């Protein structure tokens, strides 16, 4: 049945509930995928801003290592969250 064809999927209470459950599962999975893409776009924007302003961006170790495998330059624009610079400004 086409995605929008509710009538074809519902021939009784149980088949309608199964169809609704299936739709809910697809919505949850779509939401999860959308969140992942939004997070990726947000991180890319943060990296872009960092490159343009000359600021290094803090990344979790695993993400930083993964990105450095694809581009060694990532090490020049990011720093490992475990090795966050400590401010020595005592004023």
């Amino acid at each position: 049945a086409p995605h929008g064809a509710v009538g074809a999927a519902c021939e009784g209470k149980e088949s309608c509930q199964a169809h609704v459950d299936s739709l809910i599962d697809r919505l949850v999975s779509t939401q999860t995928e959308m969140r992942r893409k939004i997070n990726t776009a947000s991180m890319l924007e943060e990296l872009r801003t960092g490159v343009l302003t000359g600021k290094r961006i803090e990344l979790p170790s695993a993400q930083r290592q993964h990105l450095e495998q694809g581009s060694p330059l990532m090490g020049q624009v990011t720093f490992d969250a475990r090795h966050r610079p400590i401010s020595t400004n005592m004023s």
Side-chain angles (χ1 to χ4, degrees):
H3 294 305
V6 174
C10 290
E11 296 170 1
K13 186 176 181 180
E14 288 180 12
S15 69
C16 283
Q17 187 60 52
H19 182 67
V20 168
D21 290 345
S22 169
L23 290 173
I24 290 170
D25 288 345
R26 286 187 15 225
L27 284 170
V28 168
S29 118
T30 300
Q31 177 185 38
T32 300
E33 187 61 29
M34 287 176 71
R35 279 193 181 131
R36 190 174 299 126
K37 288 180 181 191
I38 288 169
N39 288 341
T40 298
S42 175
M43 178 55 61
L44 288 171
E45 178 60 20
E46 200 173 327
L47 284 169
R48 184 187 77 84
T49 301
V51 168
L52 292 175
T53 61
K55 294 180 183 171
R56 294 179 72 183
I57 303 301
E58 177 180 337
L59 288 178
S61 299
Q63 280 184 340
R64 186 168 191 260
Q65 289 171 1
H66 175 74
L67 291 172
E68 281 184 322
Q69 288 174 352
S71 174
L73 291 175
M74 292 305 289
Q76 295 177 16
V77 295
T78 64
F79 65 91
D80 193 317
R82 287 185 298 178
H83 306 293
R84 175 183 299 149
I86 298 171
S87 174
T88 56
N89 188 354
M90 303 295 260
S91 59

